[in-house]
Amino acid sequence: MAHAMAAFTEKVVAEVIEVQEFPDIGNSYQVKGVPLTVINEKYSFTGAANEQMLLEHLKNALSELPEGEY
Amino acid sequence: MQILNDSDRELVRERFQNELVNEVKLTLFTQNDLGGLVIPGRECETCAPTEQLLKEVSETSDLIHFKRLDIKNDAEEATRCGISRIPSFLVSRAEETNIRYLGIPAGTEFPVLMEALVNVSSGESKLAEETKTFLETLTDEILIKTFVTPN
């Protein structure tokens, strides 16, 4: 779903990481379950998300950031 | 050795025939063949199968252009694309670098590759209007990392 958003706008950078191949990256993000989605390195959630759910998470992630950081 | 079996290959070919519209690039960052030499720290078990899989996928449609780059020899391009690990690949219309995949898109992750190619090639977003409106209001980049396993 993130890739679909990235295909729509270059403002979205969508990166999928196969964690078994890159366990060091997984460790650094403390991945305990998959899929794990991390937004802007600050906000994360575990579990599959449909479009509506991902949209809500994106809104939450942006609203959690300190004012002015964006 | 083939990765996609004949029936999978045919399914992929059929889907792409129906859903790909414009040309799409599949750019793999990997490492050059070391001729069987094993250099500690440069092992890459999935580089060869990833290259094979992407090649096979690209062979199912004339609209998919596969390109292979070497992470060391093409270091400048890797940096531009935000790639520091191998195997990694990008799906793009032109020079954009915002759709990335680190690792081999095998098993249950294979459809992710198919979707990315279709999304980029079709240029027609299936996203809901609400999502598009939200995305159009973005003034800065959002980085979404999704960690997966191929089971």
Side-chain angles (χ1 to χ4, degrees):
Chain A
M1 189 46 65
H3 277 166
M5 292 182 179
F8 180 74
T9 172
E10 284 185 64
K11 291 287 184 198
V12 174
V13 178
E15 193 167 277
V16 175
I17 300 140
E18 208 290 277
V19 76
Q20 286 179 353
E21 283 178 67
F22 301 102
D24 58 316
I25 304 178
N27 286 339
S28 68
Y29 284 86
Q30 299 179 314
V31 178
K32 291 184 176 69
V34 290
L36 170 74
T37 302
V38 179
I39 300 168
N40 283 343
E41 310 287 2
K42 292 182 177 183
Y43 177 102
S44 67
F45 64 92
T46 306
N50 62 23
E51 180 183 337
Q52 186 61 38
M53 291 159 77
L54 181 57
L55 180 61
E56 291 308 315
H57 283 301
L58 289 175
K59 288 177 179 174
N60 291 342
L62 294 187
S63 66
E64 275 192 12
L65 293 175
E67 199 178 337
E69 186 153 338
Y70 260 76
Chain B
M1 194 183 75
Q2 278 191 7
I3 293 181
L4 292 176
N5 63 36
D6 289 345
S7 69
D8 286 347
R9 188 185 302 260
E10 206 40 50
L11 286 173
V12 172
R13 192 189 304 277
E14 264 177 42
R15 177 157 186 213
F16 285 163
Q17 201 163 15
N18 292 328
E19 298 187 41
L20 295 188
V21 179
N22 299 304
E23 299 196 335
V24 55
K25 293 181 181 180
L26 199 48
T27 307
L28 171 69
F29 287 87
T30 183
Q31 65 183 10
N32 285 335
D33 185 10
L34 301 174
L37 209 63
V38 177
I39 300 176
R42 288 194 61 191
E43 305 92 344
C44 182
E45 285 179 18
T46 54
C47 279
T50 303
E51 181 172 348
Q52 176 68 22
L53 178 60
L54 298 190
K55 270 185 189 168
E56 288 181 22
V57 167
S58 67
E59 284 164 5
T60 62
S61 170
D62 292 338
L63 291 173
I64 304 173
H65 299 286
F66 173 73
K67 187 176 175 185
R68 174 195 193 283
L69 296 175
D70 177 76
I71 190 83
K72 289 202 183 303
N73 293 341
D74 302 295
E76 206 173 297
E77 181 64 359
T79 302
R80 185 187 76 82
C81 296
I83 300 293
S84 59
R85 304 294 292 267
I86 53 172
S88 293
F89 64 89
L90 305 176
V91 179
S92 64
R93 286 181 203 95
E95 300 304 311
E96 71 273 19
T97 63
N98 63 322
I99 299 182
R100 307 173 194 152
Y101 197 106
L102 280 69
I104 183 167
T108 51
E109 294 309 312
F110 185 67
V112 174
L113 168 61
M114 304 266 291
E115 285 300 319
L117 287 165
V118 168
N119 280 326
V120 170
S121 170
S122 71
E124 224 176 81
S125 183
K126 292 174 188 158
L127 295 172
E129 284 306 315
E130 183 191 0
T131 308
K132 290 182 190 172
T133 303
F134 169 78
L135 295 175
E136 281 165 350
T137 63
L138 293 175
T139 53
D140 292 285
E141 269 186 7
I142 295 186
L143 172 60
I144 307 174
K145 292 185 178 180
T146 309
F147 294 87
V148 299
T149 56
N151 301 316

